[in-house]
């Protein structure tokens, strides 16, 4: 199974995000220049929303000039199942995701169903690999907007994603970053927050 282990924090605004990414302590961990990636993500679900009801995510994202499809499933704590492939459409992506190891249940859930584009996110990501005591992770800052139901909401957050080594070292580094910059954990994914925009307010 593909696994994603990441720590996500809400950042109060563009100036605060810039200050974090430029902080001397962060710069000392960085092992490469920040890469700028323009992200345009569309999230898909069935008309009866059976994927989101299971907390599954199915998305097609343009990363600069590349199109990448992703399926995510719930995991333990901050870990999630994650499978990716290159694809131009979600219909093209489904068999590729299954071949990459996505749960066979995905095909069963989609049999006889159409897929709707239900919400989206557009943002610029700046990312770099960082070397931690005993581990390697990717630090990224995302700045942009979430959209759904004709509405938009600002997006500004920081992520620390495990790449190799000791997962506990990444957890410790995430906790240290949160303390250093007074950050709050963002428990909801971009998809969940974008989907919330589609719901009618009372």
């Amino acid at each position: 199974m593909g696994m994603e282990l990441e720590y996500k924090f809400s950042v109060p605004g563009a100036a605060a995000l810039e200050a974090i990414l430029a902080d001397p302590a962060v710069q000392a961990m960085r092992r490469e220049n920040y890469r700028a990636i323009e992200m345009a993500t569309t999230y898909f679900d069935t008309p009866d929303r059976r994927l989101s009801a299971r907390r599954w995510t199915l998305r097609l994202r343009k990363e600069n000039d590349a199109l990448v499809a992703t399926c995510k499933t719930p995991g333990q704590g901050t870990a999630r199942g994650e499978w990716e492939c290159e694809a131009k459409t979600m219909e093209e992506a489904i068999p590729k995701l299954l071949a990459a190891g996505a749960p066979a249940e995905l095909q069963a859930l989609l049999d006889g169903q159409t897929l709707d584009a239900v919400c989206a996110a557009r943002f610029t990501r700046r990312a770099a690999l960082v070397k931690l005591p005993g581990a390697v992770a990717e630090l990224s800052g995302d700045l942009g907007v979430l959209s759904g139901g004709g509405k938009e909401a600002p997006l500004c957050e920081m992520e620390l994603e495990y790449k190799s080594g000791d997962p506990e070292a990444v957890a410790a580094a995430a906790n240290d970053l949160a303390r250093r910059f007074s950050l709050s954990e963002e428990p909801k994914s971009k998809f969940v927050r974008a989907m919330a925009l589609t719901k009618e307010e009372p």
Side-chain angles (χ1 to χ4, degrees), residues 91-112:
E91 289 72 21
E92 175 190 340
I94 299 303
K96 290 185 176 182
L97 289 168
L98 290 167
E105 186 185 358
L106 176 64
Q107 185 65 68
L109 289 170
L110 298 183
D111 274 347

Side-chain angles (χ1 to χ4, degrees), residues 74-123:
Q76 295 288 331
T78 55
R80 292 183 292 180
E82 181 184 61
W83 301 267
E84 292 187 338
C85 69
E86 291 188 4
K88 294 181 180 179
T89 66
M90 192 51 69
E91 289 72 21
E92 175 190 340
I94 299 303
K96 290 185 176 182
L97 289 168
L98 290 167
E105 186 185 358
L106 176 64
Q107 185 65 68
L109 289 170
L110 298 183
D111 274 347
Q113 296 288 318
T114 59
L115 279 172
D116 298 335
V118 292
C119 55
R122 303 187 312 276
F123 55 96

Side-chain angles (χ1 to χ4, degrees), residues 18-191:
E18 181 63 33
I20 294 169
L21 296 179
D23 185 84
V26 172
Q27 298 282 39
M29 297 188 297
R30 195 159 51 85
R31 289 298 174 263
E32 60 179 357
N33 293 330
Y34 287 115
R35 293 168 275 113
I37 310 167
E38 296 299 324
M39 303 280 203
T41 304
T42 302
Y43 297 97
F44 293 84
D45 205 342
T46 59
D48 60 1
R49 305 298 185 254
R50 57 181 59 184
L51 297 178
S52 56
R54 290 166 171 78
R55 294 171 56 217
W56 287 31
T57 301
L58 199 58
R59 76 183 186 207
L60 189 63
R61 173 179 284 174
K62 186 175 183 182
E63 302 179 0
N64 288 339
D65 294 325
L67 280 168
V68 179
T70 304
C71 175
K72 295 188 180 186
T73 60
Q76 295 288 331
T78 55
R80 292 183 292 180
E82 181 184 61
W83 301 267
E84 292 187 338
C85 69
E86 291 188 4
K88 294 181 180 179
T89 66
M90 192 51 69
E91 289 72 21
E92 175 190 340
I94 299 303
K96 290 185 176 182
L97 289 168
L98 290 167
E105 186 185 358
L106 176 64
Q107 185 65 68
L109 289 170
L110 298 183
D111 274 347
Q113 296 288 318
T114 59
L115 279 172
D116 298 335
V118 292
C119 55
R122 303 187 312 276
F123 55 96
T124 299
R125 169 168 291 174
R126 283 195 291 162
L129 291 176
V130 292
K131 183 70 171 68
L132 309 172
V136 174
E138 182 178 76
L139 178 72
S140 61
D142 295 345
L143 183 65
V145 294
L146 303 169
S147 60
K151 295 176 283 188
E152 289 189 343
L155 166 68
C156 188
E157 62 190 29
M158 186 186 74
E159 296 180 4
L160 188 67
E161 182 177 354
Y162 168 85
K163 292 299 182 183
S164 64
D166 181 5
E168 293 300 321
V170 181
N175 289 334
D176 183 63
L177 286 169
R179 287 193 301 270
R180 182 188 301 271
F181 300 108
S182 300
L183 299 176
S184 299
E185 181 182 0
E186 176 51 76
K188 296 180 180 179
S189 67
K190 292 180 179 69
F191 170 63

